[in-house]
Amino acid sequence: MHKRFLIIALVVILAAAGLWHLATINSPKQDAVAETGVTVGKKLTPFTLPDLEGKSIALGKPGKVTVINFWATWCPPCRAEMPELDRFYQKYRQTVDFYAVNVQEPPVQVAEFLAKNQYSLPVITDKEGAVARMYRINAIPTTIVVDAHGVIRYRKAGGVTMAELEGVIKELL
């Protein structure tokens, strides 16, 4: 009897997952995401997110080279790259816009992490993960570099070093 219940439950779950997948494939929201500039060579679609104090910050406007890093405090590779990102920000903050986009964590928790580690880079929060989904951030950390014309020139899933970022922006400044 127990085996039969498990088999029925599994069939129901698989059927529901299949219907959900079909619904998302054909949804207008999915089509809009497919048109969003998320790959190298495409224009970055502008977006606005709050900083840790709740002030709205608009990203994606042409004019300056911009580095956007999606991350979370619980993520070991994110934590490992953070000192490099902070040094990069300190060195290039006059010539490059830099934003660390925290994905789905409370601002208080993020602020505590930054203070504890003495990081000063600007952080904005994607509390619902909507922007991360829009930009197809399937792994964190993910870093995107946008040129002064608003075109994505670099995208990397996984940790990034200061030297890597310097190599990318050297071509764009």
Side-chain angles (χ1 to χ4, degrees):
M1 180 73 142
H2 184 65
K3 266 186 175 176
R4 194 161 81 176
F5 174 77
L6 288 176
I7 291 171
I8 291 170
L10 182 60
V11 168
V12 168
I13 290 169
L14 291 174
L19 290 173
W20 176 82
H21 177 71
L22 288 175
T24 58
I25 287 174
N26 297 318
S27 75
K29 188 174 186 179
Q30 186 72 17
D31 291 341
V33 169
E35 295 171 8
T36 301
V38 295
T39 58
V40 171
K42 300 282 185 175
K43 274 212 173 256
L44 182 82
T45 302
F47 61 90
T48 301
L49 288 172
D51 66 10
L52 293 174
E53 287 79 41
K55 178 183 170 196
S56 291
I57 306 294
L59 276 74
K61 294 184 283 187
K64 207 170 183 185
V65 172
T66 303
V67 176
I68 305 166
N69 176 267
F70 291 85
W71 70 288
T73 63
W74 54 263
C75 162
C78 302
R79 294 169 76 102
E81 77 174 356
M82 194 60 67
E84 297 265 326
L85 295 178
D86 197 58
R87 279 195 301 278
F88 176 85
Y89 168 71
Q90 292 303 323
K91 184 174 180 179
Y92 293 97
R93 67 182 177 194
Q94 300 300 321
T95 54
V96 175
D97 282 343
F98 183 96
Y99 295 97
V101 180
N102 179 271
V103 181
Q104 295 183 311
E105 292 186 286
V108 170
Q109 179 179 336
V110 177
E112 287 172 0
F113 172 81
L114 295 171
K116 177 182 174 190
N117 293 286
Q118 299 179 341
Y119 298 135
S120 60
L121 48 83
V123 173
I124 56 179
T125 59
D126 186 11
K127 289 188 266 188
E128 304 300 322
V131 171
R133 283 189 300 280
M134 182 170 80
Y135 284 94
R136 297 186 191 148
I137 305 302
N138 299 320
I140 55 172
T142 291
T143 302
I144 297 172
V145 178
V146 183
D147 70 16
H149 304 288
V151 177
I152 298 171
R153 296 295 176 195
Y154 176 85
R155 179 182 172 124
K156 180 182 179 187
V160 67
T161 66
M162 183 170 173
E164 284 177 272
L165 288 176
E166 286 178 327
V168 173
I169 68 158
K170 182 173 82 175
E171 305 291 322
L172 303 175
L173 293 177

